[in-house]
Amino acid sequence: MFMWDQVANPSSATNSVSVVGMMAAKLDSGPSTKQKVYQRMFEHLGMGDHTAVANLIVTKIGNNLKFWPEDTEIVQHTLDLLLDMAGGYSSSKLLLTLDTVKFLARHHTEDHFPFLAAPANVRYRTTFHATLARLLLSPTGSEKLGISFETFVEPILNTLNMLGNLSSSDLRNEAARRPLIGAFRDLRGIASSLHNRKAYAELFDLMHPAHLPLLAKVADAWHDQVDVIVSLLRFLQEFCHNKANRVNFDQSSPNGILLFRTTSDVVCAFGRRLLASPLPEGDMYKQRYKCMSISLSVLNSALSGNYVCFGVFALYNDPCLDNALDVALQMILSVPVDDVIAYPKLSKSYFGFVEIFFRHHIKSVLALETGILMQLMNSVHEGLQASDPQLSSLCANAIDHLATFYYENMNKDKIEMHNLNKHLTAQPNLFSSLTATLFNLLLFGAPQHHWAVIKPMLSLMLASESSFTSYKDHLISTQTPENQQNLNEAFQKLLHDVQRSLDSANRERFTQKLVTFRVAVRGFLTL
């Protein structure tokens, strides 16, 4: 008789935490007092040893997933339990020996588990496949489960193959909605469990070149359907994320460039459609900003993943980088600053892109028209003063990148410096306004801003000494005669022994001086 037909103990799920602890303990040497208590309990209950108990629990998990597909709460708690058991070292090793887990790994489809077909359970598909992939990719997982990674992913790839053969009109057909969402949710779960280079390369080789082109087609065809786009972008965000340096191809491999091309195609296909669409009348975040935010996060992951040499694109006249930056820039400029600050998730992806844009692509930043650059700097100025310290840090870093570039290249005959000087001529108060804001936040702002705003101060002071002098003179003029002398002495101590250099040692020294300066000045400074 197969595992599904066995009668599971209905109380086993409630005692899962204790049982998992017992399973882990049994695999260790030397029974402890706690182990002996569990052993006596199981002897009195007549349930057998820890393997038999684990077998009952996992059988109950399988029965829940098979026979309660419409009950979202049961499905959620059942998958959470399975995920917890798979997360432990000893308990996961035990799971690999159970027939029920082997059945789950071989038959993770809607035909065997109807809960996967229920629209209300769509988010739990990710958890389900993440758990199975974690077990399969454990050191002896494939051997004990008797299934290879390619065989495990095959049902999902068959779905993608079927969808990829559809025409553009058929791909947009309502019949394709659920398979698309399901496949991307499943792949996201699998991708989230890839924690090393070998495992990631296995999935990439299965996806490229047969299935990656489908992603841009879906982004174009379903751009106005939030559920489909979110599932697509969430998978791509996970797929592009270089956590634990897993996206690490051989030196002669073009896969990093190919991955970025796919990312660029998807972001551009979705972004252009979004920008061409009229503003929705309903919930702006759900209907517009949510997908925009995720698409920016996808691009941020790709731009900061350190698996692409971006200079290659310009060298070989490949426009994918410029296209991605242009579309992302258009998207962020289409959002009012007040809306950016109002939605935390949007603001993090928004300012995350700005920071990466200034850090790695300053040449493109300075090639912008002055009006567009000043619009960006105005957003940075507002984000600098946001209540979230993470946003303040991102904006401060963007300022630091700009000021550092200016200081290190001010005497060089470069096209980027000509562009920057042109912008500063049109907006001569840019550095002075940023200097004033940074010092005001340091001296009068909330404590959570302090470390964020300190970083760009040295580079900004060296880039524009006149801006710092003007702020210092203005601040001193607002104080009483006694405080003026104290404040002037504090500024002198701040600048003492500070070199005209942006090396890490000098930055660290100046940071310590700023902290001391702030503590000393706040003791007597008046507003």
Side-chain angles (χ1 to χ4, degrees), residues 120-161:
N121 294 328
V122 66
R123 67 174 57 186
Y124 304 126
R125 298 181 67 125
T126 302
T127 306
F128 182 57
H129 285 83
T131 305
L132 295 179
R134 178 181 294 184
L135 291 170
L136 179 64
L137 295 170
S138 60
T140 58
S142 181
E143 177 185 351
K144 289 187 176 181
L145 292 177
I147 183 175
S148 66
F149 182 76
E150 183 176 355
T151 304
F152 174 72
V153 182
E154 185 177 358
I156 305 171
L157 299 183
N158 290 338
T159 301
L160 292 180
N161 189 53

Side-chain angles (χ1 to χ4, degrees), residues 136-263:
L136 179 64
L137 295 170
S138 60
T140 58
S142 181
E143 177 185 351
K144 289 187 176 181
L145 292 177
I147 183 175
S148 66
F149 182 76
E150 183 176 355
T151 304
F152 174 72
V153 182
E154 185 177 358
I156 305 171
L157 299 183
N158 290 338
T159 301
L160 292 180
N161 189 53
M162 179 269 294
L163 294 167
N165 291 329
L166 298 176
S167 64
S168 298
S169 58
D170 290 337
L171 183 63
R172 178 56 201 251
N173 191 286
E174 192 63 27
R177 180 191 296 268
R178 192 164 62 82
L180 283 169
I181 295 175
F184 291 138
R185 291 277 184 174
D186 297 348
L187 286 171
R188 178 189 172 192
I190 294 172
S192 68
S193 294
L194 307 178
H195 295 295
N196 57 62
R197 175 182 177 181
K198 179 182 177 182
Y200 183 89
E202 286 189 68
L203 180 60
F204 185 89
D205 290 341
L206 293 173
M207 293 292 294
H208 174 79
H211 306 296
L212 288 183
L214 173 65
L215 306 186
K217 291 174 60 178
V218 173
D220 183 70
W222 291 88
H223 68 278
D224 57 340
Q225 299 299 306
V226 176
D227 53 349
V228 178
I229 290 298
V230 166
S231 62
L232 165 63
L233 294 177
R234 289 293 190 197
F235 158 63
L236 190 56
Q237 182 182 12
E238 181 62 48
F239 195 53
C240 292
H241 186 199
N242 193 14
K243 60 185 179 183
N245 199 33
R246 63 180 184 174
V247 190
N248 187 2
F249 301 107
D250 292 336
Q251 187 174 7
S252 59
S253 171
N255 288 346
I257 294 173
L258 296 173
L259 177 58
F260 184 80
R261 277 184 180 172
T262 298
T263 305

Side-chain angles (χ1 to χ4, degrees), residues 39 100 117 149 183 188 290 295 340 357 374-375 415 430 474 495:
Q39 291 171 2
T100 301
F149 182 76
R188 178 189 172 192
K290 180 177 182 178
S295 67
V340 175
F357 196 28
M374 291 309 125
Q375 187 176 344
I415 183 63
L430 176 62
H474 172 71
L495 301 177

